[in-house]
Amino acid sequence: LAVLSVSVLGWTGEISLATLAQMGMGVVVLNFLQQRGVAFAAIVPIAMLSSIPVSLVLGVFALRLRGVYFAIATLAFATLAQKSFFQSYLGSEGGFEKPLQRPSYLTTDKHVYYLEVATLAVLAAVCYLILRSQIGTRLAAVRAAAMAFAVLGHSLARYKLFTVCLAGAIATLAGTYYGILQQVVAANYFNPSLAIAYFAYAVVGGLGSIGGAIGAGLVFGSLPRYLETLSQGKLAGYDLFFAAAVALVVVLWVPGGIAALGRRVW
């Protein structure tokens, strides 16, 4: 879900490094609403809607900055959020008064897994329909030639804000599910440097590709456990090193990522 969020923002050619900060907001909203007795079924849409104000703040930067400058702005935003808000709210060891609670129908990790897979399938279908619509055509035009798109009388702001808000909603939802899965979440997880890893995963999958994002998420999500099992624990913690090596190879030899390679084979 997090990699899909990064890839969605790639529809307009932008790079966001605020994914972890938006995921952290999902954990915070989950805890806040649970303390007030709100059902989990209601928390999910509320968390996604609550991401819009934060996304609009990032959207202001997206309207004035582009490319690497927007990426630096989002990284600065994520760093401020982690060092100030998350450190004070969560603490280094997870600062909630009590662990996050799972609803009765999500008692095991397997149940959480099924819910996440179903949610991912629905969101992937929604993203696919968006790309196949007129909105998707215009987003592609923004990515290819933003100035020409604006000269034709279309609003760049509308489509950029749309992608920023959609990506933010997906990332916040990913954080909400992460909180339900882990139940105790420390602020260290939302270190902005991890957002660079998510961006690398999206690049490997093919920035802007739905299937590529899901494929890369599956590969790199299972990579740490696979390395730990393969080496009997000796390579545990080296997953980011291997992810970086794979990303470097992909950028050099297959710039479009897994998605471009799949299209080429097809």
Side-chain angles (χ1 to χ4, degrees):
L1 284 170
V3 177
L4 178 62
S5 169
V6 177
S7 198
V8 163
L9 197 57
W11 290 351
T12 55
E14 298 295 352
I15 300 169
S16 175
L17 299 178
T19 308
L20 267 296
Q22 292 173 308
M23 287 179 65
M25 290 303 300
V27 176
V28 170
V29 170
L30 173 64
N31 178 69
F32 178 82
L33 295 178
Q34 278 194 348
Q35 297 299 323
R36 284 149 183 80
V38 180
F40 181 71
I43 290 176
V44 169
I46 293 174
M48 296 182 74
L49 290 174
S50 68
S51 70
I52 294 177
V54 178
S55 297
L56 290 177
V57 172
L58 293 175
V60 172
F61 294 108
L63 298 179
R64 301 186 63 86
L65 303 172
R66 186 172 176 82
V68 66
Y69 299 103
F70 177 68
I72 293 173
T74 57
L75 181 61
F77 173 84
T79 302
L80 288 173
Q82 199 268 339
K83 293 296 183 182
S84 58
F85 184 70
F86 294 134
Q87 287 284 11
S88 60
Y89 192 89
L90 297 174
S92 58
E93 301 296 333
F96 296 141
E97 294 181 1
K98 59 181 181 179
L100 297 167
Q101 301 299 311
R102 294 183 182 180
S104 58
Y105 50 87
L106 296 176
T107 53
T108 66
D109 289 351
K110 186 178 291 187
H111 293 153
V112 177
Y113 167 77
Y114 289 144
L115 174 64
E116 292 182 358
V117 168
T119 303
L120 179 61
V122 170
L123 287 175
V126 170
C127 292
Y128 176 78
L129 292 175
I130 290 174
L131 285 181
R132 297 286 293 179
S133 67
Q134 289 186 356
I135 296 176
T137 303
R138 292 171 181 176
L139 291 174
V142 171
R143 181 175 181 175
M147 187 62 68
F149 184 77
V151 168
L152 290 174
H154 298 292
S155 172
L156 278 175
R158 180 185 306 172
Y159 293 99
K160 283 192 173 185
L161 289 176
F162 170 76
T163 54
V164 170
C165 289
L166 178 60
I170 296 174
T172 303
L173 178 62
T176 303
Y177 282 169
Y178 182 78
I180 283 292
L181 177 66
Q182 299 294 337
Q183 296 187 276
V184 176
V185 182
N188 293 336
Y189 178 77
F190 304 110
N191 191 315
S193 62
L194 291 176
I196 300 175
Y198 282 124
F199 172 68
Y201 302 160
V203 169
V204 171
L207 195 61
S209 168
I210 300 169
I214 295 174
L218 290 172
V219 170
F220 291 109
S222 60
L223 186 61
R225 181 61 59 85
Y226 178 74
L227 290 176
E228 185 177 351
T229 304
L230 185 67
S231 64
Q232 297 180 346
K234 295 180 181 179
L235 293 179
Y238 284 87
D239 51 301
L240 290 181
F241 171 80
F242 287 104
V246 172
L248 182 62
V249 171
V250 168
V251 168
L252 291 175
W253 297 98
V254 191
I258 295 173
L261 183 61
R263 285 191 293 267
R264 190 179 304 173
V265 171
W266 178 256

